[in-house]
Amino acid sequence: MRFGVMFFAASPGGGAEETYRTMLEVARLADAGGLSAVWTPERHFDEFGGVFPNPALTSAALATVTQRLQLRAGSLISPLHHTVRVAEEWSVVDNLSSGRAAVSFGAGWNTNDFVLYPDRYADRRATMLEQVDTVRRLWRGESVELVNGTGHPTEVRLYPKPVQRELPVWLTSSGNPQTFIDAGAAGANLLTHLIGQDLDQLRDKIALYRKARADHGHQPQGGLVSLMLHTHLDADGGTAELRSRGPFREYLRSAVVLERKSATGGGTISGGHQIPDEEIPGDLIEELLDITYERYLRQGSLIGSPADCAPMVERLARIGVDEVACLLDFGLTGSEILGGIEPLIELAATFS
């Protein structure tokens, strides 16, 4: 089992500068502690994650303070970008990091993000899959034909040339079984989470992924299944629970607000689901936040001591998960996040 660290910044805390400082310091510690990767996301126009509008920028910064960690977009919402620019930016990251760039491609769900490319919202999944293929071809040194400013077709190649011969690629799934199949068919890795799916459902979807790999000529066990889990460890499990409860509840609250904004804008919420128009009473929201925290605590997170969390990791391994993407910044302070890194490294060492 591999362990990486992931950022999403549920709230700005002391502001963007503090978030970035924490990100860089966590990455230094994770790098020294032998963890596998650092993921940074793409989110726009909102307090919930909005300090991370471009994972290529954060990964370029992380390249300067790390030596071994793979630097991953988790996720790059590629329909919001020109395909060639995606390849160019990540080739720069690959060169800055001596060959440690990796990208998880996502189709996106928040309709308001698509003010950047409104015409792509309806067909965003198909667009993303086409972009994955084009970026991979450019990365290998192939050219693509595009129309220039005067309407003439022009052959375009990637500069600077990347260090790695192949770009490590993930597809991000919010639980849609078809994305598991698409990732397997493409020979890509897979990034997912437990929002809207439980471990038994995830086991079945991983089986679909492995079958799709085999059906399309890829090694069935060759791809990585990475699972995002909210993570906060302490030597004392009760302390970790007590410290995380309040921030986690507010993290969930801000996520609901963001998804309501998307629904109000005419779109779906994450995972392609719909939510009712009527307002939820305040007392019911508080009850739901408590229930949801308890559900994550017991069945969908790494919150507690290393010994508390080991059985969860063992269960993940049994259902076919290869790596945990440990989401750290769900509202905790920078010092609290940093304090949880050493016990996380301890947990990872027991599964190395």
Side-chain angles (χ1 to χ4, degrees):
M1 183 67 69
R2 307 181 190 188
F3 293 78
V5 293
M6 176 180 277
F7 293 88
F8 211 102
S11 62
E17 289 182 87
E18 180 180 334
T19 296
Y20 299 145
R21 282 195 296 268
T22 300
M23 175 191 74
L24 294 172
E25 185 56 31
V26 166
R28 290 188 189 99
L29 294 173
D31 195 51
L35 302 187
S36 61
V38 54
W39 307 77
T40 50
E42 177 173 355
R43 177 69 72 213
H44 297 279
F45 318 130
D46 196 89
E47 183 176 292
F48 190 89
V51 296
F52 292 106
N54 189 335
L57 289 175
T58 46
S59 293
L62 289 162
T64 67
V65 298
T66 59
Q67 299 295 322
R68 291 171 292 276
L69 289 174
Q70 195 170 52
L71 308 175
R72 300 179 187 167
S75 304
L76 171 74
I77 310 305
S78 59
L80 303 181
H81 300 266
H82 192 290
T83 309
V84 175
R85 291 289 288 160
V86 170
E88 285 181 334
E89 290 175 0
W90 284 93
S91 184
V92 171
V93 174
D94 207 46
N95 279 273
L96 286 170
S97 64
S98 300
R100 294 184 285 129
V103 177
S104 190
F105 287 78
W109 59 269
N110 189 346
T111 185
N112 296 329
D113 290 350
F114 280 80
V115 296
L116 300 172
Y117 268 108
D119 56 314
R120 291 183 176 178
Y121 182 73
D123 297 319
R124 59 195 183 277
R125 281 181 50 80
T127 298
M128 176 195 71
L129 293 172
E130 291 173 7
Q131 290 178 301
V132 170
D133 180 67
T134 301
V135 169
R136 282 173 145 178
R137 290 192 290 115
L138 285 165
W139 199 274
R140 294 169 186 150
E142 299 177 29
S143 63
V144 296
E145 187 177 275
L146 300 172
V147 176
N148 70 12
T150 57
H152 289 81
T154 303
E155 292 289 318
V156 173
R157 293 183 184 274
L158 178 58
Y159 294 99
K161 294 180 180 179
V163 175
Q164 298 177 97
R165 294 176 63 88
E166 293 279 345
L167 174 65
V169 168
W170 277 250
L171 294 190
T172 301
S173 173
S174 294
N176 185 342
Q178 186 58 51
T179 309
F180 284 72
I181 294 169
D182 290 341
N189 304 305
L190 184 88
L191 173 64
T192 190
H193 52 59
L194 291 178
I195 302 170
Q197 59 184 342
D198 60 27
L199 291 177
D200 290 336
Q201 293 169 322
L202 178 58
R203 177 199 58 214
D204 295 342
K205 293 172 188 177
I206 291 172
L208 292 176
Y209 168 70
R210 298 296 178 193
K211 183 178 184 299
R213 288 186 64 89
D215 290 347
H216 290 81
H218 306 292
Q219 283 287 98
Q221 301 302 319
L224 286 175
V225 175
S226 303
L227 178 66
M228 184 275 281
L229 289 182
H230 299 82
T231 300
H232 181 61
L233 279 83
D234 190 275
D236 177 73
T239 299
E241 291 184 25
L242 183 64
R243 188 184 292 137
S244 64
R245 181 180 293 273
F248 197 98
R249 291 177 82 263
E250 294 311 306
Y251 165 91
L252 292 170
R253 194 192 309 276
S254 61
V256 171
V257 170
L258 176 62
E259 297 198 336
R260 281 202 168 275
K261 286 181 182 178
S262 177
T264 302
T268 60
I269 65 173
S270 56
H273 304 295
Q274 301 285 343
I275 58 175
D277 291 333
E278 62 269 16
E279 287 292 326
I280 302 173
D283 58 343
L284 180 56
I285 288 178
E286 299 306 316
E287 182 180 348
L288 289 171
L289 291 175
D290 284 332
I291 292 170
T292 304
Y293 174 77
E294 291 297 331
R295 179 238 168 188
Y296 275 104
L297 180 64
R298 308 304 172 195
Q299 305 174 32
S301 70
L302 295 181
I303 296 175
S305 69
D308 294 334
C309 295
M312 179 65 173
V313 179
E314 291 165 357
R315 186 176 180 189
L316 296 178
R318 287 195 297 271
I319 69 168
V321 173
D322 302 296
E323 180 180 55
V324 182
C326 299
L327 178 62
L328 304 175
D329 61 333
F330 52 88
L332 295 162
T333 67
S335 61
E336 289 170 339
I337 292 169
L338 289 166
I341 300 304
E342 191 58 41
L344 173 59
I345 291 169
E346 178 187 335
L347 175 67
T350 66
F351 290 92
S352 63

